[in-house]
Amino acid sequence: MKRTSEFQKHSVLREDRDDGTILLRSSHALGPVVDNTGVWLHEWAEKAPDRTFLAERSGAGWREESYSATLQKVRAIASSLLARGMGPDTPIIIMSGNGVDHGLLSLAAQYVGVPTAPVAEQYSLIHGAHGRLQHAIELVHPKMAYVVDADQYSEALALEALNGIEILASRPGKNSKVTAFDELLKGDGSVDIDAAYAKVTPDTVAKILMTSGSTSAPKGVKTTQRMMCVNQTQIADALPFLRARPPRVVDWLPWNHVFGGSHNFNMMLANGGSFYIDDGKPVKGLFDRTVENLSMVTGSLVFNVPVGFGLLLGALQQDAALRQRFFSDLDLIFYAGASLPQEIWSGFEQMAMEVKGEIPLMTSSWGLTETAPATMMQSEPIDRSGVVGAPLNGVTLKLIPDADMRCEMRIKGPQVMPGYFEDPQKTKDAFDDEGFFITGDAMQFIDKADMNKGMKFDGRISEDFKLLTGTWVRAAQLRIDMLTCLAPLAADLVITGADKNQIGLMIFPDLSELERQGFDLSDDNGAYRCKLLQGEIHRRLAERAREVSGSSTLISRAIVLSEAASMPEGEMTAKGNLNFRKVLTRRAALLDRLYDDADPATITL
């Protein structure tokens, strides 16, 4: 099959230590790195002043900001921040989702060394999640808070934790205590903005990004200019077509998360690209907006999570005109968050060949908030999902293998964080005695004899557990397998069995899919007892049981939960990931029912 896009060929150097530890790094040298994000903004404002950089929906069309207009507004906003006495010790908390004003404020703050702390908009808009917002405010101690609409966010803005903090809003409404965003655009000629910009170094903290909180309370990751700038050089080294022509995205991924807000946003800025903000999402009721946006503008790069690609594939299959537009200029399909189901991968390959006779680079990478994020990438074309590739230029991987060559992953490189915000103990605990960041993730080699074949993600070390028999269960990989087995009935699930004799499942069903298939559900105090649904799950588990061997992968029981995972209760993070420990703790009674063979809600083999 003909494939588009230039790429950097993997070239991995391996060092084996006497204790079994393996060090991997790329033989390619890291390319030139700029000092701060302002360098990119100045470069493209000069080279392509009229090219669209940021855009968002406005009525029937788009509000578009060119590179020259962006630079002008960034400098005006930055001078207004300086005139307020803001600097490295006065962060701005951004409580709204993606938007042009959000982007301008972030860049302006970075331009003069004021950290921003973007948090998930759900923390402000969902009453029960205000505790997460409160935690972020108390951690960061901001001097300013931004929301897009003061009326929409009025309940969150009334939090006592925000008393004495200047509130900034693009739409201030009737709240006289709120500063209109347009006020900052007026600028302030009394400050020396060039002098302030000159003080921004690679070590300047640009953002404080909150971790997901899937295993503990969210931590603040100090994200420096160096981290972001190095990471874009690493990515463009691996994908040189980014430098060959300006990229373009229509993207919804949230900017409070490192994937959307650092990886994707900075990729456009670093390479003179255009970022069209998709105000849709891959959920029921909002995905139609994404399709509408794509009917107006399509990207040369597409980033999404697997569920988003599943919905997109379905939409493309139904619309020939959209299909033609989508693939006509496409260089890259990039998934993250979980492994892309192979049938979706194959569907995009087949469709690309039918439309234009070639396949864009389909790939993924691996990284964390603490690593800016990209650390490994599959830059060479492959024909299957699940591979996260080889180390990017400048990165050293430290792999600590077990008997099965499953490796604990540790990282060293210029894109790794200097530490957690105002938490020296957690910072100390995050690094080993050689200065490698301890990720807690596990990897496996695709081919133990050839490091250039890359690696695949093999779950979180902390998610593994032992059965009473002493058998280890690799919960993360097993969860992926079971989601495939139970698709599309299960929206998500939790693997159980720690200190039990058998492995079980607590299943969060996809209610819209169950409704579509005609399952008549009846609630039984936290669990569903629909005989038809239980029978279908039993059939699939029994069929799978005939194909597996050993207690470490055999699922012997399941229960279907009738209450969705709760973000206010901490069961779900803002990224939509389950906090497995919280689910098991909060639903301890249901966990007991799962292991009661006499309970009518329990499905047993």
Side-chain angles (χ1 to χ4, degrees), residues 127-149:
H127 175 79
H130 286 172
R132 292 291 184 106
L133 175 61
Q134 181 96 7
H135 171 79
I137 295 169
E138 292 173 352
L139 174 66
V140 173
H141 306 299
K143 186 175 180 180
M144 176 183 286
Y146 168 78
V147 295
V148 66
D149 188 308

Side-chain angles (χ1 to χ4, degrees), residues 345-365:
W345 175 291
S346 299
F348 275 102
E349 281 193 329
Q350 180 180 348
M351 196 175 290
M353 287 298 294
E354 291 172 353
V355 171
K356 60 184 300 187
E358 57 188 16
I359 299 173
L361 180 64
M362 298 178 63
T363 191
S364 186
S365 71

Side-chain angles (χ1 to χ4, degrees), residues 18-231:
D18 293 339
D19 63 358
T21 299
I22 301 168
L23 299 183
L24 298 181
R25 61 182 178 85
S26 171
S27 69
H28 300 293
L30 179 66
V33 178
V34 301
D35 286 341
N36 56 65
T37 58
V39 174
W40 294 327
L41 188 53
H42 277 278
E43 175 186 0
W44 294 108
E46 180 179 346
K47 290 181 177 178
D50 298 326
R51 182 183 301 155
T52 297
F53 167 48
L54 279 178
E56 66 184 1
R57 284 298 301 271
S58 178
W62 298 86
R63 170 193 170 185
E64 297 177 298
E65 297 287 347
S66 68
Y67 273 97
S68 61
T70 298
L71 177 59
Q72 180 182 3
K73 291 181 178 181
V74 161
R75 286 175 60 86
I77 297 167
S79 67
S80 295
L81 297 178
L82 292 174
R84 285 164 164 75
M86 301 190 73
D89 300 320
T90 59
I92 302 169
I93 191 165
I94 299 178
M95 298 160 52
S96 292
N98 304 0
V100 168
D101 288 349
H102 178 160
L104 294 174
L105 179 60
S106 297
L107 289 173
Q110 292 174 29
Y111 195 83
V112 289
V114 179
T116 57
V119 296
E121 61 181 347
Q122 297 96 316
Y123 294 169
S124 298
L125 296 176
I126 299 175
H127 175 79
H130 286 172
R132 292 291 184 106
L133 175 61
Q134 181 96 7
H135 171 79
I137 295 169
E138 292 173 352
L139 174 66
V140 173
H141 306 299
K143 186 175 180 180
M144 176 183 286
Y146 168 78
V147 295
V148 66
D149 188 308
D151 292 337
Q152 182 185 12
Y153 286 77
S154 59
E155 185 179 354
L157 294 179
L159 289 176
E160 185 176 346
L162 289 173
N163 287 348
I165 296 173
E166 183 178 9
I167 305 299
L168 179 69
S170 297
R171 296 188 292 275
K174 298 178 181 180
N175 193 331
S176 60
K177 297 180 180 180
V178 173
T179 301
F181 187 83
D182 286 347
E183 288 297 311
L184 268 64
L185 288 171
K186 295 177 181 178
D188 193 309
S190 67
V191 299
D192 189 342
I193 189 170
D194 291 324
Y197 173 60
K199 293 179 182 178
V200 177
T201 73
D203 293 317
T204 299
V205 175
K207 294 192 285 188
I208 303 165
L209 288 175
M210 308 303 292
T211 59
S212 66
S214 58
T215 57
S216 63
K219 301 181 286 289
V221 175
K222 292 192 290 187
T223 304
T224 65
Q225 293 278 358
R226 174 183 288 106
M227 291 169 64
M228 296 194 302
C229 295
V230 164
N231 209 216

Side-chain angles (χ1 to χ4, degrees), residues 462-475 478 494-506 551-552 557 580-581 584 591-592 594-595:
S462 61
E463 292 175 17
D464 295 351
F465 59 81
K466 281 186 179 181
L467 298 172
L468 279 177
T469 59
T471 301
W472 275 104
V473 175
R474 295 179 179 172
L478 186 56
V494 176
I495 303 291
T496 70
D499 298 324
K500 306 284 186 181
N501 285 316
Q502 297 175 327
I503 305 172
L505 301 179
M506 298 177 76
S551 59
S552 66
R557 56 189 60 244
F580 305 118
R581 294 179 185 175
L584 293 171
L591 180 62
D592 290 339
L594 172 61
Y595 285 87

Side-chain angles (χ1 to χ4, degrees), residues 289-368:
R289 182 68 165 185
T290 292
V291 174
E292 178 184 329
N293 291 334
L294 288 173
S295 71
M296 302 167 70
V297 180
T298 54
S300 61
L301 320 175
V302 177
F303 300 95
N304 219 319
V305 294
V307 67
F309 277 120
L311 291 171
L312 180 58
L313 183 62
L316 293 172
Q317 289 169 338
Q318 297 173 25
D319 189 331
L322 179 62
R323 196 159 61 238
Q324 186 66 41
R325 285 176 54 85
F326 179 81
F327 285 101
S328 64
D329 202 31
L330 193 61
D331 288 323
L332 177 73
I333 294 176
F334 189 108
Y335 67 91
S339 184
L340 187 69
Q342 188 61 36
E343 61 269 22
I344 296 177
W345 175 291
S346 299
F348 275 102
E349 281 193 329
Q350 180 180 348
M351 196 175 290
M353 287 298 294
E354 291 172 353
V355 171
K356 60 184 300 187
E358 57 188 16
I359 299 173
L361 180 64
M362 298 178 63
T363 191
S364 186
S365 71
W366 175 90
L368 302 167

